[in-house]
Amino acid sequence: MTKTTQLCTFFLDNLFLGIEVENVQEILRHQEMTRVPLAPPVVAGLINLRGQIVTAIDLRRRLELKPRAYDPLPINIIVRTPDETVSLLVDEIGDVLDVSDDDFERPPDTYRGGVRELIQGSYKLPNRLLLFLDVDKVVDFTVMD
Amino acid sequence: MIDAIRDHFESLETTGEESSRDRTALFNQLNALPVENGERIKDEESQSKTESVGGHSYPDLSVLCQDLNEKASHPQVSIANSPSANSHVCQDTNPPASANPQTSNSTSPSPITNSAIRVDVNLLDKLMNLVGELVLCRNQILEFANQQAVNAEHDDAFKSASGRLNLVTSELQEGVMKTRMQPIRTIWSKFPRVVRDLAVSLNKQVQLEMEGEETELDKTLIEAIANPLTHLVRNCLDHGLDTPDMRIAAGKSQVGRLLLRAYHESGHVNIEVSDDGKGIDLENLKQKALQQGIITPTQALHMTEQEALHLIFLPSFSTSETVTNISGRGVGMDVVRANIERISGTIDVESRLGQGTSFKLKIPLTLAIIPTLIITSGGDRYAIPQVNLLELVRLDREQAEQRIEWFHGTPVYRLRGNLLPLVYLNQVLQLENNTGVQESSGIGKTSNAKKQSLIPEQEDETINIVVVQATEKPFGLVVDVINDTQEIVVKPLGKPLKSLACFAGATIMGDGKVVLILDVQGLAQKTLITSPEKEKALVNEDSQSVNSTAIPQQLLVFHAANQRRLAIPLSKVSRLEEFPRDRIEYLGDQEVIQYRQHIMPLIHLSAVLSNGYSEFQVRDRQSEISEDKQPVIVVSLQGDKQVGLVVDQVLDIVEQGINIKGVSPQKAILCSAVIQGKVTEIIDVHALIEQGLSVVKPMLV
């Protein structure tokens, strides 16, 4: 009996990423943002989510990918963590997938990059790898700066 | 009798139970009090007490209620002094429930049993949030109504509707806010006992007077000011009031007077704590500050009365000769001020020698909704809390050129004869200007480059200065556009952004956009400290604000390089050594010495710091000074690497805050400061090693 997990998947640059679906509150089209001067560059801005102010995190910068081209506009994945609600900016949204824990594997030993701790591992899907993101660590970047 | 009640409660606390006879005895005692109003309330209160536990009149339960009452840490003196306060205390005992404060008002004509309900604080908070949303919604509708002004047909109906919405929302907001309001009596009620106990232990005679006890404040604010107020009261008793003998000698009545006064004024609550004691001796204050190295003699000379008075708010400053269990430790007033400022309040002090001292606190009514000024800078809007606002100044191009002057690269504006330091908001926030002329970092540029970008290019452009005050010294915030004043709902920033000192929070505007709220205090701290040029200007003008922020450091002071007085942070120093001159060896051109199984390179400070001297001259000079011993400061670098600094003479170790007086032209010098009354240059160790050890650097790394 293998355990399956439901992942909300999305695309970023040429990566195929997923987070646990329980963490996702909602998915929104591009929202108008207010920039925050002097904030770390990872912070894309603040958005108004029905009266609640939510910090938007540029996931490309967070994962040290190259900056986004202007078109198309990023999509907000509103994510809830124990501490707060944040928005992750991604390129494109994918399906919710059921993945089996049998297919999970830790990151390869040769994988370096400063973002190693953000990616828990990957699920080996038939045609490509689905990288499993650690939401709590993605959101917690005050330490980094 | 109060002590009797106290004993009674103490026994309650220890045993946890008690016979009902004792209680009736006590009630008889209480009823014997000559307060006619109080009797009625106590009776009703004892009824309501028993009702509140389900209509049963078991003595044990009401005893329990009293027990809780005691544990709520409200002093028992309130029972005797103010029966209404007692009734309030009793209602407040159940932790999840908050009593409706209005009911505690003994002057209220309505029957007490019906006018009080218990409401969960969480529910109130939720209600408060909802009303906040409603306020935002109203703003939105109002804006919409203004835009639709062209459409004449529906105009009137819509406007009246939105007008009504406006009215209703405001009223609702006020009403809900009131549910969280508590009279200031809740904290004042414990003061009579505090004052009496303290007066007895200090051998002083005090009469405590209170005015405006019914003034209401938000619950969170009441909690926040309780401790600072207590501290102020204790301070007034200990420092402010004089002893009976002194009072008689000064021709005053033997009994001192301590006045607590609270009143509403323009959306704020003012609280005054004043005494008619000996006042604050400004000269004494300055002397103490001089002794403790907080100010310099020149500063003391030029200090205004107000500035001198504000010395008492500096950290670790104390005028007291001895440390008692009441005061004298030098902590206190700075904490009081910090606490008051944390809730966006202000504190001011007035004093007349021989006549008394008065502290004035200005506290906002509530924290949730605040009036702000909306401004634009660098294309974005920001909100400035109106508490910090002093005035607005608008200059056209011509005036700007004349009136904005340059204090060695720092812009200042002459505001009614006083120099007002200017802070360009777009520079502080590192915003790109709309015109794109100016790079993000404005600091460290030549004044010419600054000047070009700061004077508006077009003829019709104006300069808007928002004069704000965070601490005692105001400064001018230059913004692009001044938009409007608006009441906004403060929303906290997310955790990763909490560390940004410049912003107090964010809010949502009428058009649904998020706008950041500027924290003027944080802004002041950032601008007045990080930029050395600006700091310099401020030091010369008023060193007080900068002084208060200087953190004491341990410095090693020594002579080197042609008897220059230099200092190095003691934390960088690992040892002081004296080597025989003949132990110095050479590694190429570099002087080295064998030290603890390592080859340690030596830096001649003279060589690095005096550009004109060749190394040989320097060496000759030094051999004259000391024949065979060479003092060396061993500085440890990362790892176990060490470098020796060759100096002439080690002088002293001092501990003090560095008041930066100037930027040094030399790279290896961090800054200069006045230490022990003499100008001393402080060495930047890393730059020094960079400069002095270019040859042997590979050896170290």
Side-chain angles (χ1 to χ4, degrees):
Chain A
M1 185 68 196
T2 56
K3 218 180 123 226
T4 60
T5 316
Q6 279 200 317
L7 292 189
C8 169
T9 64
F10 52 90
F11 300 90
L12 204 63
D13 206 8
N14 53 7
L15 295 178
F16 184 46
L17 297 150
I19 53 175
E20 278 159 323
V21 87
E22 297 92 75
N23 289 329
V24 178
Q25 180 183 323
E26 60 190 300
I27 294 178
L28 296 170
R29 250 186 272 273
H30 176 67
Q31 300 280 310
E32 200 155 9
M33 279 188 297
T34 302
R35 62 176 168 168
V36 185
L38 308 176
V42 176
V43 176
L46 301 174
I47 60 172
N48 169 12
L49 180 71
R50 296 185 300 276
Q52 192 187 359
I53 289 172
V54 174
T55 314
I57 293 172
D58 189 342
L59 205 55
R60 274 190 181 243
R61 277 190 188 274
R62 187 72 183 106
L63 295 178
E64 297 173 4
L65 301 171
K66 59 178 184 287
R68 189 188 322 275
Y70 277 94
D71 217 30
L73 288 165
I75 290 173
N76 290 284
I77 301 182
I78 310 293
V79 176
R80 257 188 310 211
T81 66
D83 294 332
E84 58 185 326
T85 307
V86 297
S87 163
L88 303 178
L89 300 184
V90 303
D91 291 357
E92 209 179 313
I93 202 83
D95 293 327
V96 173
L97 296 179
D98 286 314
V99 290
S100 157
D101 282 0
D102 287 349
D103 295 331
F104 183 77
E105 205 165 306
R106 306 283 306 158
D109 292 342
T110 48
Y111 172 65
R112 262 192 268 235
V115 294
R116 183 186 170 113
E117 55 172 19
L118 304 183
I119 299 173
Q120 292 187 352
S122 63
Y123 287 96
K124 293 161 285 180
L125 302 187
N127 45 2
R128 68 187 301 180
L129 290 177
L130 171 62
L131 303 184
F132 183 43
L133 218 53
D134 187 335
V135 176
D136 291 346
K137 290 218 171 87
V138 167
V139 170
D140 181 28
F141 56 83
T142 33
V143 202
M144 195 182 73
D145 299 294
Chain B
M1 198 201 74
I2 293 163
D3 290 331
I5 301 172
R6 195 190 191 180
D7 288 346
H8 176 77
F9 277 130
E10 268 167 9
S11 75
L12 261 176
E13 226 184 345
T14 46
T15 59
E17 55 175 33
E18 189 206 21
S19 71
S20 60
R21 203 179 61 87
D22 270 351
R23 192 174 64 84
T24 40
L26 185 76
F27 265 99
N28 287 339
Q29 240 180 330
L30 280 172
N31 284 334
L33 272 177
V35 188
E36 41 180 72
N37 198 15
E39 270 184 34
R40 182 175 61 85
I41 287 172
K42 254 192 300 314
D43 287 343
E44 276 165 326
E45 178 207 308
S46 61
Q47 271 172 26
S48 73
K49 246 191 284 173
T50 46
E51 271 171 25
S52 71
V53 291
H56 305 286
S57 53
Y58 296 130
D60 278 359
L61 282 175
S62 45
V63 162
L64 189 70
C65 186
Q66 277 188 343
D67 200 2
L68 278 171
N69 194 351
E70 154 74 10
K71 279 180 181 149
S73 79
H74 289 266
Q76 303 73 38
V77 65
S78 59
I79 295 170
N81 267 355
S82 147
S84 54
N86 182 31
S87 79
H88 178 71
V89 164
C90 190
Q91 284 162 356
D92 228 10
T93 45
N94 280 13
S98 137
N100 193 333
Q102 272 100 336
T103 59
S104 63
N105 197 338
S106 59
T107 54
S108 162
S110 60
I112 281 168
T113 41
N114 287 338
S115 64
I117 50 158
R118 292 180 181 223
V119 186
D120 192 331
V121 175
N122 291 331
L123 179 68
L124 280 181
D125 284 347
K126 204 171 160 190
L127 209 58
M128 192 70 202
N129 276 343
L130 275 176
V131 171
E133 295 311 317
L134 194 59
V135 171
L136 292 176
C137 173
R138 173 202 61 182
N139 290 353
Q140 230 160 332
I141 294 255
L142 283 179
E143 198 154 294
F144 180 65
N146 290 338
Q147 281 169 7
Q148 295 294 308
V150 240
N151 194 348
E153 263 182 53
H154 307 289
D155 200 30
D156 286 345
F158 185 67
K159 268 200 171 163
S160 73
S162 60
R164 209 168 64 226
L165 177 69
N166 187 8
L167 204 73
V168 170
T169 317
S170 305
E171 267 178 32
L172 185 61
Q173 179 195 337
E174 208 174 301
V176 172
M177 237 160 66
K178 266 197 187 141
T179 60
R180 292 184 54 86
M181 294 296 228
Q182 287 189 327
I184 201 158
R185 183 189 298 115
T186 38
I187 31 179
W188 281 9
S189 56
K190 66 175 178 180
F191 283 158
R193 189 177 186 96
V194 171
V195 168
R196 205 192 47 177
D197 283 356
L198 207 57
V200 167
S201 67
L202 290 168
N203 287 325
K204 290 177 182 175
Q205 293 183 20
V206 191
Q207 188 194 349
L208 178 66
E209 287 175 31
M210 296 185 188
E211 277 178 30
E213 291 175 45
E214 64 287 337
T215 313
E216 287 186 329
L217 266 169
D218 195 286
K219 186 173 172 292
T220 47
L221 289 172
I222 288 269
E223 284 159 11
I225 61 168
N227 281 334
L229 265 187
T230 315
H231 189 90
L232 280 180
V233 167
R234 290 168 74 99
N235 248 22
C236 276
L237 277 173
D238 191 31
H239 296 295
L241 281 177
D242 25 20
T243 55
D245 304 344
M246 284 165 70
R247 292 187 65 88
I248 290 167
K252 290 188 271 195
S253 82
Q254 197 177 346
V255 180
R257 185 163 162 265
L258 183 67
L259 174 69
L260 293 175
R261 195 161 161 252
Y263 56 96
H264 284 280
E265 192 185 64
S266 62
H268 285 92
V269 172
N270 288 355
I271 303 170
E272 287 175 21
V273 180
S274 44
D275 61 63
D276 64 346
K278 52 183 181 269
I280 297 174
D281 187 347
L282 288 181
E283 286 312 311
N284 184 20
L285 209 60
K286 284 184 196 173
Q287 282 303 321
K288 279 275 157 40
L290 274 175
Q291 277 171 26
Q292 292 175 27
I294 294 171
I295 54 170
T296 62
T298 29
Q299 284 169 10
L301 211 60
H302 295 293
M303 218 170 237
T304 66
E305 238 174 66
Q306 201 60 29
E307 281 170 344
L309 269 179
H310 274 115
L311 282 174
I312 60 168
F313 293 119
L314 294 185
S316 73
F317 178 74
S318 173
T319 53
S320 190
E321 304 286 346
T322 52
V323 174
T324 65
N325 61 346
I326 298 158
S327 57
R329 282 178 224 85
V331 284
M333 290 312 285
D334 61 321
V335 178
V336 166
R337 183 164 75 165
N339 280 343
I340 297 295
E341 279 172 358
R342 200 179 319 139
I343 52 167
S344 321
T346 55
I347 181 166
D348 205 2
V349 55
E350 275 172 29
S351 180
R352 280 172 174 229
L353 198 56
Q355 290 180 27
T357 314
S358 155
F359 288 92
K360 280 191 179 150
L361 278 71
K362 207 171 181 185
I363 311 287
L365 275 176
T366 174
L367 287 180
I369 297 174
I370 56 166
T372 58
L373 178 78
I374 310 291
I375 55 104
T376 305
S377 182
D380 284 337
R381 287 175 300 178
Y382 298 92
I384 303 174
Q386 281 186 19
V387 212
N388 301 115
L389 212 60
L390 291 183
E391 60 182 304
L392 303 175
V393 179
R394 186 186 164 96
L395 302 173
D396 60 30
R397 188 185 159 78
E398 220 169 273
Q399 285 173 313
E401 274 177 353
Q402 285 170 2
R403 309 264 305 267
I404 294 185
E405 291 165 89
W406 295 88
F407 186 102
H408 198 287
T410 305
V412 289
Y413 171 71
R414 259 186 235 201
L415 183 70
R416 291 185 289 276
N418 290 328
L419 288 189
L420 180 77
L422 294 183
V423 173
Y424 287 80
L425 191 61
N426 51 7
Q427 286 185 349
V428 179
L429 300 182
Q430 304 185 358
L431 302 166
E432 300 86 43
N433 218 1
N434 283 345
T435 49
V437 175
Q438 156 192 356
E439 264 301 299
S440 53
S441 70
I443 299 158
K445 279 186 163 187
T446 61
S447 60
N448 264 350
K450 263 191 191 172
K451 205 165 183 171
Q452 273 169 9
S453 60
L454 297 181
I455 299 291
E457 264 117 56
Q458 278 106 37
E459 278 292 321
D460 52 12
E461 259 190 83
T462 54
I463 283 197
N464 292 302
I465 303 173
V466 182
V467 184
V468 289
Q469 183 166 28
T471 50
E472 54 265 32
K473 198 79 184 164
F475 63 96
L477 215 52
V478 180
V479 302
D480 295 348
V481 183
I482 291 171
N483 299 47
D484 200 2
T485 59
Q486 200 158 7
E487 287 204 341
I488 57 164
V489 180
V490 182
K491 305 208 170 231
L493 288 174
K495 203 178 72 183
L497 300 175
K498 281 263 165 67
S499 54
L500 293 177
C502 283
F503 304 112
T507 190
I508 295 164
M509 301 299 290
D511 56 6
K513 280 196 190 144
V514 179
V515 161
L516 288 161
I517 303 164
L518 292 177
D519 183 338
V520 175
Q521 212 180 334
L523 214 59
Q525 263 164 25
K526 189 173 171 60
T527 48
L528 306 187
I529 288 153
T530 53
S531 138
E533 275 178 308
K534 278 178 190 145
E535 187 171 34
K536 193 171 142 199
L538 275 169
V539 166
N540 289 346
E541 206 182 281
D542 164 44
S543 56
Q544 200 185 339
S545 60
V546 181
N547 267 346
S548 61
T549 57
I551 304 155
Q553 278 194 28
Q554 284 196 318
L555 296 164
L556 179 73
V557 186
F558 54 92
H559 272 160
N562 202 13
Q563 298 295 310
R564 272 163 80 169
R565 201 178 146 90
L566 300 165
I568 183 172
L570 195 63
S571 54
K572 305 262 197 233
V573 178
S574 60
R575 279 186 81 84
L576 301 177
E577 295 281 355
E578 273 195 342
F579 294 119
R581 204 155 268 281
D582 50 18
R583 272 187 58 196
I584 298 176
E585 296 172 76
Y586 288 90
L587 192 75
D589 280 343
Q590 178 64 43
E591 281 187 326
V592 294
I593 199 154
Q594 290 177 36
Y595 180 65
R596 298 185 172 192
Q597 279 99 46
H598 285 284
I599 299 175
M600 183 173 74
L602 296 178
I603 302 177
H604 276 276
L605 282 174
S606 332
V608 180
L609 296 178
S610 4
N611 304 330
Y613 296 119
S614 81
E615 209 167 312
F616 286 107
Q617 279 174 315
V618 170
R619 228 173 273 155
D620 288 344
R621 209 170 247 284
Q622 276 169 348
S623 52
E624 282 166 28
I625 296 163
S626 59
E627 283 93 44
D628 49 9
K629 289 274 185 183
Q630 177 62 63
V632 169
I633 300 174
V634 180
V635 176
S636 53
L637 305 173
Q638 70 267 48
D640 54 352
K641 307 286 185 198
Q642 290 179 321
V643 163
L645 303 184
V646 179
V647 301
D648 296 349
Q649 193 188 356
V650 174
L651 296 174
D652 201 358
I653 292 170
V654 293
E655 182 170 354
Q656 79 169 69
I658 305 173
N659 304 318
I660 297 166
K661 293 291 177 194
V663 187
S664 165
Q666 273 178 313
K667 227 188 201 170
I669 303 286
L670 194 63
C671 56
S672 49
V674 175
I675 295 173
Q676 293 178 325
K678 286 182 183 165
V679 175
T680 307
E681 293 166 288
I682 293 155
I683 287 181
D684 182 344
V685 177
H686 290 287
L688 179 81
I689 288 162
E690 194 78 23
Q691 222 177 326
L693 278 185
S694 49
V695 196
V696 284
K697 213 181 161 202
M699 203 175 95
L700 288 166
V701 183

